[in-house]
Amino acid sequence: MNVDDIRRDFPILSQTIRGKPLIYLDSGASAQKPRAVIDAMVNAMETQYANVHRGLHWMSERTTDAYEATRDAAAKLMNAGDRAEIVFTRNSTEAMNLVAHSYGRGILKAGQAVVISAMEHHSNIVPWQMLRDAHGVELRVAPITDAGELDMAAFEALLEDGKVGLVSVTHMSNVLGTVTPAERIVQIAHAHGAKAMFDGSQAIVHRPIDVQALGCDFYAWTGHKLYGPTGIGVLWARRELLEAMPPFLGGGDMISSVTFEKSTWAQVPHKFEAGTPAILEGIGLKAAIDYVLGIGYEALAAHELALTDHALARLGAIEGLKIYGRAQDRGGVISFMLDKAHAHDVATLLDRQGIAVRAGNHCAEPLMRRLGVDSTARASFGMYTTMAEIDALADTLNRVREFFT
Amino acid sequence: MNVDDIRRDFPILSQTIRGKPLIYLDSGASAQKPRAVIDAMVNAMETQYANVHRGLHWMSERTTDAYEATRDAAAKLMNAGDRAEIVFTRNSTEAMNLVAHSYGRGILKAGQAVVISAMEHHSNIVPWQMLRDAHGVELRVAPITDAGELDMAAFEALLEDGKVGLVSVTHMSNVLGTVTPAERIVQIAHAHGAKAMFDGSQAIVHRPIDVQALGCDFYAWTGHKLYGPTGIGVLWARRELLEAMPPFLGGGDMISSVTFEKSTWAQVPHKFEAGTPAILEGIGLKAAIDYVLGIGYEALAAHELALTDHALARLGAIEGLKIYGRAQDRGGVISFMLDKAHAHDVATLLDRQGIAVRAGNHCAEPLMRRLGVDSTARASFGMYTTMAEIDALADTLNRVREFFT
Amino acid sequence: MADTFDDLRDLYQEVILDRGRHPRHGQRLETFDATAKGDNPMCGDRVQVWVAFAPDSTIAETGFEARGCAISVASADLMAETVQGRSKADTAALFASFRDMVRTGVCPACDTAMEQLAPLSGVHEYPSRVKCATLPWHALIAALDGTKEASSE
Amino acid sequence: MADTFDDLRDLYQEVILDRGRHPRHGQRLETFDATAKGDNPMCGDRVQVWVAFAPDSTIAETGFEARGCAISVASADLMAETVQGRSKADTAALFASFRDMVRTGVCPACDTAMEQLAPLSGVHEYPSRVKCATLPWHALIAALDGTKEASSE
Ligand SMILES: Cc1ncc(COP(=O)(O)O)c(C=O)c1O
Ligand SMILES: Cc1ncc(COP(=O)(O)O)c(C=O)c1O
């Protein structure tokens, strides 16, 4: 894998910001888009577009084929056993809401419990709170260690009374970079009669996901972080679960028949896809998946490991800089604070040098509280990130510290 | 308004289908995209993209501005009094589900009723059935006349017992072309203590919508039919209703604060927009709105009226062809059947000549039953449709009839 | 005039137009052993199939009522004719070959039975019409299986 | 080295850095008449403001505790100084001018009070930082109005 070649595939990387070359270290919030994704969407809009699933004409048939090919690509990406297990949503957030609604209200019973962890994104907290409040399902939170890893003993203890119907935890923290031991989580969940779901929003960008090998029951991710367009996400779920779950949204395309008295539902996955889908975004996402698989996860993971090691070393050497999260198994997301400067001031100073990092609570307020901070600065890497960019970050951070001293 | 100029703005219109120039008469299912929309999305991906609302860096600020400018454009398009009344959804279907969920479960009480009409799209039927079954709200259906107009007397009678909390009807039928008398519907609803919602998926493409003049409470539409991208729709609702309604989806961006015990919600409209939004699609939609407003609804409506009159005359002259829907006030959507040929066979024969029409139940099964058919063929027009294309349709239909005789 | 649609003669062969207009088996059986409905909600096609068995459990007779396009009615009619005298297993195998043919347009091991169905092979060029051709078969298989309803794939 | 950030001296003027580090009014008042919190959930800034009134109902003293960036702390501190001796209406008017200034960078009718706040005008070039500067004002206005919580726009 040649990073220079990759960078040429991403037109935005040649932009300058306030006169400085863009150093985009906010891929964890959303990744940039390669030419292949842009071209796929443009090509669809210029040469082959119509609504899908309903038309008998050429444009509609071709667009349906192109859109449905994304389902195959996503199934391949995750090694799903069955393409009907791929449900398209707007993003991870909607995927988790779908499960909280259709599995939570439809299958879980009041008195059962859902387990999440102390390092979840709000998207994997709030839907379960809403389920708790509407449906009487208990919400339990597995703690994390000071290193920022899931506390496995405490996690298992939460399941011991057999009340837990579903475990939903992140596969990789968007704040700490921690990768959770997914296979073990599934084993423990299943051993206690619970289903296991992962928020794979970050994880799938950094390592190959094999849902059959993981043995999990639900897996959610979002297109825009995997170099694809916004407006499309994926929920993978076991077919028998999808079949048992009531639908989430009602409307066109998700029905089998409609009378005013009663409607019946289409087969999975269509039962969960109401209305005109994100057609162009699906077509863009297929290009993103193909692009990622073309490079290969092995190369991506090696590049990321090198970047992360280098960044931990360089940032770790900055006086007064504290890194949050020291997990053994981790991805290319690093949260940090300077003793003399607030995260927002740091972000603004970096931005003035063309370096885009994120500062704030990263949609993980409870984790911030656990870490004892209000916010952190965060650098996150993509396949186009270079060692030189990390050096620029570290050099500039040194100067930021001087500025505030 | 010069149709030739407009056609040059839509790259796809120069495509050929099976060797014949494309005659796209399926805009009611989804419209084609002008160059301006394509360019806006490409420009964002190539020069200015990051996640919105959360970043302190330049790219994020600029992307947030571009995305939020869509809210202003949508507010202008609908003459909303307050930009915070514009909620972005995936499509109309999600907009109506949002209301069925947040207003339906959150505000309506069991024992109250919702009124829809006999000519609704499944998207404005199924969410209310799901509400009925989950929440004990009655579903009432206002009949239509043989001309395909809403039976206003019968409609009003349905509200007389004062139990109706919400009226949700189409502003323009996607099958019959009927435009409903929106102001009167609102007056009747309000006179009986009910809120009024319109499914404007078709209407907003064809005529100016002024929600303040209509006086309605909710108005839903979908970007891809208004020459915009897929993956984005709009719900307009009165601010005080949005403020009173509980949120629909939970996650990032829709919260004010999160603890495991309790979360509080962001201000409207963000309360209803969980997770990373359809950023690129929003940017594309703004270009579509600007394009439509640039041409002006007056010109669009005049063009459409001329097309529709011509089409009704030409199709009406074909022996054995029956047109469904003869409303006084109607838009450019015409459903028809040939006596000798099934709608699917008609669609396939037309397709062979490059003419794209839709055949089927148009996601309106109950209306099909009311019309006494299983399916119809439907031609629907866009701003780029020409008189010559309508002539080609009529000429070819004559030959189709011979083919099957 | 008619030559406008010459390229469609592959799909709408004379036998299809004829069977579509005047199916030979397009009626409900007076006495029958099994029946099932098929429904393609996306396009509105509906079919019901009735089957009477011979003493040896092969199909003695098939009748149907269809509301649908020329392709689906012709397919139902040709099906009714072709499955006569066949066992359940045999019929299922025939459907498998038929489905391959309408999807791909080719029929590698075509026997006489398949030749009777061959006029429908043109449908493979119109992917959204394939389910019109297979819907009656789904209903028939459902009837043989004792299921009441089939929906197209 | 420091010249790397020369273009940032507009935003981070010496008085901002100084007030951000060592606010003069950065403590809770022992006795007070009103208090309110301000919270900017997106970025994690939090501030609480305490106000003591003079007998004529003008502001006698303001104190605050802030967890936030240099901009928000400096803004709170300059605010505390500037609003002293002002009535509620007067304070609201000052906030309106201040908000205009931090959004646009200009201050058409700048009086002495606004000149004291002028070091914050550089924030208009960083739209996402504007709310850091206005958050303490929202909390102050909420306290004067008798509301307990304010959130930034
Ligand atoms: C009248 C009407 N309502 C609702 C819809 C649903 O729109 P969408 O599929 O974009 O949600 C459509 C179009 O399919 C429509 O024509
Ligand atoms: C771990 C994690 N979960 C969930 C999300 C939500 O993703 P989206 O906003 O695309 O729904 C994100 C990203 O924002 C994330 O990093």
Side-chain angles (χ1 to χ4, degrees):
Chain A
M1 168 181 156
N2 180 322
V3 181
D4 290 338
D5 287 347
I6 285 181
R7 290 181 70 84
R8 271 189 289 275
D9 290 340
F10 287 80
I12 205 171
L13 297 179
S14 55
Q15 291 291 307
T16 55
I17 300 300
R18 305 182 196 272
K20 312 270 158 57
L22 169 64
I23 297 183
Y24 186 74
L25 300 178
D26 196 19
S27 292
S30 199
Q32 299 299 344
K33 319 306 172 202
R35 165 79 41 221
V37 168
I38 302 171
D39 285 352
M41 295 177 77
V42 169
N43 182 56
M45 289 190 268
E46 287 188 354
T47 69
Q48 186 185 292
Y49 175 78
N51 211 328
V52 295
H53 296 148
R54 309 165 178 181
L56 301 175
H57 56 78
W58 192 92
M59 280 284 176
S60 179
E61 286 180 343
R62 288 309 159 285
T63 312
T64 304
D65 288 350
Y67 177 71
E68 285 296 325
T70 311
R71 214 182 293 278
D72 296 307
K76 183 172 156 208
L77 182 79
M78 309 175 76
N79 193 31
D82 183 345
R83 70 188 298 281
E85 297 180 334
I86 301 291
V87 176
F88 291 120
T89 62
R90 178 170 44 234
N91 48 26
S92 305
T93 302
E94 198 200 10
M96 293 187 270
N97 277 277
L98 192 165
V99 176
H101 196 98
S102 292
Y103 191 78
R105 299 192 187 198
I107 310 281
L108 293 180
K109 305 264 170 291
Q112 282 194 283
V114 171
V115 171
I116 61 174
S117 90
M119 58 179 162
E120 298 308 321
H121 188 280
H122 292 161
S123 294
N124 196 26
I125 301 174
V126 182
W128 310 113
Q129 292 184 316
M130 292 167 77
L131 173 68
R132 176 191 64 195
D133 298 344
H135 193 65
V137 161
E138 189 192 337
L139 183 56
R140 299 181 181 175
V141 183
I144 57 170
T145 66
D146 289 340
E149 295 178 321
L150 192 62
D151 180 335
M152 293 303 287
F155 166 67
E156 185 154 15
L158 286 180
L159 283 107
E160 240 140 47
D161 65 4
K163 285 194 183 167
V164 176
L166 179 68
V167 168
S168 181
V169 292
T170 190
H171 195 188
M172 174 174 154
S173 163
N174 63 315
V175 176
L176 307 172
T178 310
V179 176
T180 54
E183 286 89 345
R184 274 197 63 208
I185 292 169
V186 174
Q187 281 158 14
I188 293 171
H190 286 178
H192 294 85
K195 302 291 178 209
M197 159 144 169
F198 292 102
D199 172 0
S201 309
Q202 296 290 337
I204 204 163
V205 184
H206 301 285
R207 49 186 66 198
I209 303 303
D210 180 334
V211 288
Q212 297 189 69
L214 286 179
C216 59
D217 303 290
F218 301 96
Y219 199 100
W221 56 280
T222 193
H224 67 96
K225 296 193 203 261
L226 194 75
Y227 311 99
T230 45
I232 189 155
V234 170
L235 172 68
W236 170 87
R238 286 187 187 285
R239 187 176 191 135
E240 60 272 24
L241 293 174
L242 289 176
E243 279 172 354
M245 285 154 60
F248 177 38
L249 305 181
D253 275 10
M254 57 70 73
I255 55 89
S256 165
S257 73
V258 175
T259 67
F260 288 123
E261 295 68 41
K262 188 176 158 43
S263 296
T264 57
W265 315 131
Q267 294 180 358
V268 299
H270 300 290
K271 180 166 85 174
F272 295 102
E273 296 177 353
T276 301
I279 301 169
L280 297 165
E281 297 66 34
I283 290 171
L285 182 59
K286 164 124 186 350
I289 293 172
D290 290 348
Y291 185 78
V292 164
L293 292 181
I295 292 169
Y297 272 106
E298 215 174 320
L300 289 177
H303 177 59
E304 187 189 339
L305 188 65
L307 288 171
T308 308
D309 284 350
H310 185 61
L312 289 171
R314 287 283 333 245
L315 297 190
I318 295 173
E319 212 194 313
L321 186 146
K322 177 167 177 181
I323 292 174
Y324 294 86
R326 288 291 188 177
Q328 288 293 317
D329 190 1
R330 65 169 302 152
V333 164
I334 301 180
S335 280
F336 59 90
M337 287 274 269
L338 282 177
D339 53 354
K340 306 273 180 189
H342 189 277
H344 299 167
D345 297 317
V346 171
T348 296
L349 267 72
L350 291 175
D351 183 41
R352 207 66 189 81
Q353 304 303 313
I355 303 175
V357 301
R358 216 175 134 189
N361 64 33
H362 314 291
C363 295
E365 266 190 73
L367 174 58
M368 293 292 119
R369 227 163 274 124
R370 168 67 176 82
L371 300 174
V373 296
D374 293 318
S375 60
T376 68
R378 183 188 78 180
S380 55
F381 314 137
M383 60 165 81
Y384 35 66
T385 305
T386 65
M387 295 288 180
E389 290 181 319
I390 287 170
D391 289 333
L393 170 68
D395 294 345
T396 311
L397 281 173
N398 270 312
R399 297 202 291 259
V400 168
R401 193 160 179 276
E402 277 166 40
F403 187 88
F404 280 102
T405 309
Chain B
M1 172 181 152
N2 180 321
V3 183
D4 289 338
D5 286 348
I6 286 181
R7 289 181 70 83
R8 270 189 290 276
D9 290 339
F10 288 80
I12 204 170
L13 297 178
S14 55
Q15 290 292 307
T16 55
I17 300 301
R18 305 181 195 273
K20 311 271 160 56
L22 169 65
I23 296 181
Y24 187 74
L25 300 177
D26 197 19
S27 292
S30 198
Q32 299 299 344
K33 319 304 172 203
R35 166 77 45 220
V37 169
I38 303 171
D39 285 352
M41 295 177 77
V42 169
N43 182 55
M45 289 190 267
E46 287 188 354
T47 69
Q48 185 185 292
Y49 175 77
N51 211 328
V52 294
H53 296 148
R54 309 167 177 180
L56 301 176
H57 55 77
W58 192 93
M59 282 284 177
S60 178
E61 287 180 342
R62 288 306 160 285
T63 311
T64 304
D65 288 350
Y67 177 71
E68 285 296 326
T70 311
R71 212 182 294 278
D72 297 308
K76 184 173 155 204
L77 182 80
M78 307 174 78
N79 192 31
D82 182 346
R83 70 188 300 279
E85 297 181 332
I86 301 289
V87 176
F88 292 121
T89 62
R90 178 171 44 233
N91 49 27
S92 304
T93 302
E94 198 200 10
M96 293 188 270
N97 277 275
L98 192 164
V99 176
H101 196 99
S102 292
Y103 191 79
R105 298 191 188 198
I107 310 281
L108 293 180
K109 304 266 170 288
Q112 283 195 284
V114 171
V115 171
I116 61 174
S117 89
M119 59 180 161
E120 298 308 321
H121 188 281
H122 293 162
S123 295
N124 196 26
I125 301 173
V126 182
W128 309 113
Q129 292 185 316
M130 291 166 78
L131 173 68
R132 175 192 66 194
D133 298 343
H135 193 65
V137 161
E138 190 191 337
L139 182 57
R140 298 181 182 175
V141 183
I144 57 171
T145 66
D146 289 340
E149 294 177 323
L150 193 61
D151 180 336
M152 293 303 287
F155 166 67
E156 185 156 11
L158 285 180
L159 283 107
E160 240 140 48
D161 64 4
K163 286 195 183 167
V164 176
L166 179 69
V167 168
S168 181
V169 293
T170 190
H171 195 188
M172 173 175 155
S173 162
N174 64 315
V175 176
L176 306 172
T178 309
V179 175
T180 54
E183 285 90 344
R184 274 197 63 208
I185 292 170
V186 173
Q187 281 159 13
I188 294 171
H190 286 179
H192 293 84
K195 302 290 178 208
M197 160 146 169
F198 291 102
D199 172 0
S201 310
Q202 295 290 338
I204 203 163
V205 184
H206 301 286
R207 49 185 67 197
I209 303 302
D210 179 334
V211 288
Q212 296 190 69
L214 285 180
C216 60
D217 303 289
F218 301 96
Y219 199 99
W221 55 281
T222 192
H224 67 96
K225 297 193 203 261
L226 194 74
Y227 310 99
T230 46
I232 189 155
V234 170
L235 172 68
W236 170 86
R238 283 186 191 288
R239 187 177 191 134
E240 61 270 26
L241 294 174
L242 289 176
E243 280 172 354
M245 284 153 60
F248 177 37
L249 304 182
D253 275 9
M254 57 68 76
I255 55 90
S256 165
S257 73
V258 175
T259 66
F260 287 123
E261 294 69 41
K262 188 176 158 45
S263 296
T264 58
W265 314 131
Q267 294 179 359
V268 300
H270 300 291
K271 179 166 86 173
F272 294 102
E273 296 178 353
T276 301
I279 301 169
L280 296 165
E281 296 67 34
I283 290 170
L285 182 59
K286 162 118 185 357
I289 294 172
D290 290 348
Y291 186 79
V292 163
L293 292 181
I295 293 169
Y297 272 107
E298 214 174 322
L300 289 177
H303 177 58
E304 187 190 337
L305 188 66
L307 289 172
T308 308
D309 284 348
H310 186 61
L312 288 171
R314 287 285 330 249
L315 297 190
I318 295 173
E319 211 195 313
L321 186 146
K322 175 164 181 188
I323 290 174
Y324 293 87
R326 287 291 190 176
Q328 289 293 318
D329 191 2
R330 64 168 302 149
V333 164
I334 301 180
S335 280
F336 59 90
M337 287 274 269
L338 282 177
D339 53 353
K340 306 272 181 191
H342 189 277
H344 299 167
D345 296 318
V346 172
T348 295
L349 267 73
L350 292 174
D351 183 41
R352 206 66 191 81
Q353 304 303 312
I355 304 174
V357 301
R358 215 174 136 191
N361 63 33
H362 314 291
C363 295
E365 266 190 72
L367 174 57
M368 294 291 119
R369 226 164 276 124
R370 167 68 176 81
L371 299 174
V373 296
D374 293 317
S375 59
T376 69
R378 182 188 78 180
S380 54
F381 314 137
M383 61 165 82
Y384 36 66
T385 304
T386 65
M387 295 289 181
E389 289 181 320
I390 287 170
D391 288 334
L393 170 68
D395 293 345
T396 312
L397 280 173
N398 271 312
R399 298 202 292 257
V400 168
R401 191 157 182 278
E402 278 165 39
F403 187 89
F404 280 104
T405 308
Chain C
M1 278 276 172
D3 55 340
T4 318
F5 295 115
D6 256 10
D7 8 15
L8 272 164
R9 290 284 162 199
D10 271 0
L11 178 59
Y12 291 101
Q13 297 190 19
E14 203 44 61
V15 48
I16 307 258
L17 290 175
D18 176 44
R19 297 275 181 157
R21 260 183 236 119
H22 312 293
R24 321 276 189 271
H25 304 269
Q27 60 274 318
R28 163 189 183 117
L29 299 186
E30 296 280 303
T31 55
F32 58 89
D33 300 300
T35 182
K37 288 182 185 171
D39 201 359
N40 179 348
M42 282 300 159
C43 61
D45 279 357
R46 267 153 231 250
V47 66
Q48 179 157 9
V49 168
W50 291 269
V51 190
F53 296 122
D56 67 350
S57 298
T58 59
I59 295 175
E61 200 183 349
T62 304
F64 69 91
E65 275 175 17
R67 296 176 68 165
C69 60
I71 307 288
S72 66
V73 174
S75 178
D77 206 47
L78 292 172
M79 171 187 83
E81 215 154 280
T82 319
V83 298
Q84 202 165 329
R86 290 183 186 263
S87 69
K88 189 175 144 177
D90 211 9
T91 306
L94 191 63
F95 176 34
S97 311
F98 175 70
R99 188 150 59 170
D100 279 354
M101 182 185 74
V102 291
R103 283 180 178 167
T104 61
V106 296
C107 180
C110 257
D111 57 8
T112 358
M114 284 304 291
E115 257 155 42
Q116 239 177 309
L117 302 172
L120 285 158
S121 63
V123 94
H124 83 276
E125 280 188 50
Y126 303 84
S128 55
R129 305 301 303 277
V130 167
K131 52 187 184 291
C132 307
T134 55
L135 182 65
W137 286 88
H138 282 288
L140 174 64
I141 300 293
L144 299 183
D145 284 348
T147 326
K148 283 226 184 69
E149 298 244 11
S151 73
S152 68
E153 65 265 66
Chain D
M1 277 277 171
D3 55 340
T4 318
F5 296 117
D6 255 11
D7 7 13
L8 272 164
R9 290 283 161 197
D10 271 0
L11 178 59
Y12 292 100
Q13 297 190 19
E14 203 45 61
V15 48
I16 308 259
L17 289 175
D18 176 44
R19 297 274 182 160
R21 259 183 237 120
H22 311 293
R24 319 277 190 269
H25 303 268
Q27 61 274 318
R28 156 186 190 121
L29 300 186
E30 295 279 302
T31 55
F32 59 88
D33 300 301
T35 182
K37 288 183 184 169
D39 200 359
N40 178 350
M42 281 303 158
C43 62
D45 278 358
R46 266 153 231 250
V47 66
Q48 181 158 7
V49 170
W50 290 269
V51 191
F53 295 122
D56 66 350
S57 297
T58 59
I59 295 175
E61 199 183 350
T62 304
F64 69 92
E65 275 176 18
R67 296 177 67 164
C69 60
I71 307 289
S72 66
V73 174
S75 178
D77 207 45
L78 291 171
M79 170 185 85
E81 215 154 280
T82 319
V83 297
Q84 201 166 326
R86 291 183 184 262
S87 69
K88 187 174 146 178
D90 211 9
T91 306
L94 191 64
F95 176 35
S97 311
F98 175 69
R99 187 150 58 171
D100 279 354
M101 182 185 72
V102 291
R103 282 181 178 165
T104 62
V106 296
C107 181
C110 255
D111 58 7
T112 358
M114 282 304 289
E115 256 155 43
Q116 239 177 308
L117 302 171
L120 285 157
S121 64
V123 93
H124 82 274
E125 279 189 49
Y126 302 84
S128 56
R129 304 300 303 278
V130 167
K131 50 188 186 293
C132 306
T134 55
L135 183 64
W137 286 88
H138 282 289
L140 175 65
I141 299 293
L144 299 182
D145 285 348
T147 326
K148 283 227 185 67
E149 298 243 13
S151 72
S152 66
E153 63 264 64

